[in-house]
Amino acid sequence: QGLSVSRNKLDVKSQEKAWNFYNQAVEKDPDFALAYTGIADTGRLIWNQKKDPIWIRKAQGAAEQAKRLNDLLPEVHYSLGGIYQATGKTSEAIVELKRAQELAPGTDEGYRRLASAYIDAGLHQEAISAYKKAVEANPYYWLNYNELGAAYLIVGMNGEAVEAFRNATKIDPNIETAY
C-alpha cells in the first residue's frame, strides 16, 4: 500500500500517507527491510518539500536500519544513495548507487540514479554514459530518454538532446517536460 501511494503522487499529503503504511508494516514485521526503504524514500521526499530536518534524519535512520537488516537489497542502496545525494554527500551517494548496480546489474533505475549522482558531482560524461545504459536496459520508458536529453543539454549537446526528447515524446506524447 505504501509503495502504491508513494509512487502515484509526490505531494506531501500522499507521502505522509505512504509513510504511515510503511510504519505499520515495520510494526508488524520489524525485520522488513523493504518497508524501511519505503520509510527512507518517503521521508526524503517529504524533506525535499518541507525542508524540516527531522524528516531527513528519520529517513537516514530508516535507510541505515534497512542496511543492517539486508545489505543485499538494491533498494537499500537506492535509498541511502538518494539521501546522500539530497544532502550534498555526492561521493557517498555514488558509492551506494554503484553498490546497488552491482546487486541489480543492468537495471534502468539503477543507471538513472547513478547518472543523476554523476551530474551532481560534475561527472557529465559518466552521467551520459549511465543514461545511455538506462536507455539500453529499458528503451520503452520515456523517463530514460528524458533524463538523457537533460544531460545532453548540460554539456551543450543540443542536437542529441532534441533527439532524446523526441524519443521520450514518441513513447508518451503527454510528457510535458520532454517538449
Side-chain angles (χ1 to χ4, degrees):
Q1 289 175 320
L3 184 60
S4 178
V5 171
S6 67
R7 288 205 174 159
N8 287 329
K9 292 186 179 180
L10 297 178
D11 61 281
V12 169
K13 185 177 178 182
S14 297
Q15 294 303 309
E16 287 174 341
K17 185 176 179 181
W19 170 276
N20 290 330
F21 281 129
Y22 289 124
N23 276 291
Q24 289 171 21
V26 298
E27 284 175 15
K28 291 179 182 176
D29 181 359
D31 295 328
F32 190 8
L34 283 175
Y36 283 103
T37 66
I39 292 169
D41 293 340
T42 56
R44 179 181 47 82
L45 291 170
I46 294 168
W47 174 78
N48 281 344
Q49 295 179 47
K50 287 187 168 186
K51 296 303 181 198
D52 182 345
I54 191 72
W55 287 103
I56 200 69
R57 286 195 299 270
K58 288 179 178 182
Q60 185 160 355
E64 289 169 356
Q65 176 63 12
K67 188 174 184 176
R68 283 189 292 275
L69 290 170
N70 192 342
D71 187 41
L72 299 177
L73 292 173
E75 293 86 355
V76 167
H77 301 282
Y78 291 153
S79 294
L80 276 169
I83 291 165
Y84 290 145
Q85 188 175 358
T87 57
K89 298 176 182 173
T90 309
S91 59
E92 292 92 335
I94 290 170
V95 168
E96 291 296 336
L97 295 168
K98 282 183 175 181
R99 177 69 177 134
Q101 270 308 99
E102 290 171 6
L103 294 169
T107 63
D108 62 323
E109 180 176 7
Y111 286 126
R112 261 193 334 275
R113 288 177 181 243
L114 183 56
S116 176
Y118 283 147
I119 291 285
D120 287 354
L123 302 170
H124 299 140
Q125 292 307 316
E126 290 86 344
I128 288 171
S129 177
Y131 282 131
K132 284 180 177 180
K133 289 178 182 176
V135 167
E136 290 171 17
N138 186 354
Y140 306 106
Y141 188 29
W142 68 269
L143 185 59
N144 293 333
Y145 291 101
N146 200 67
E147 296 296 312
L148 175 60
Y152 279 138
L153 279 179
I154 289 171
V155 298
M157 298 174 71
N158 296 340
E160 291 84 349
V162 168
E163 185 60 30
F165 291 133
R166 279 192 183 129
N167 286 327
T169 61
K170 286 178 188 174
I171 294 169
D172 188 343
N174 298 315
I175 299 305
E176 296 174 8
T177 59
Y179 291 104

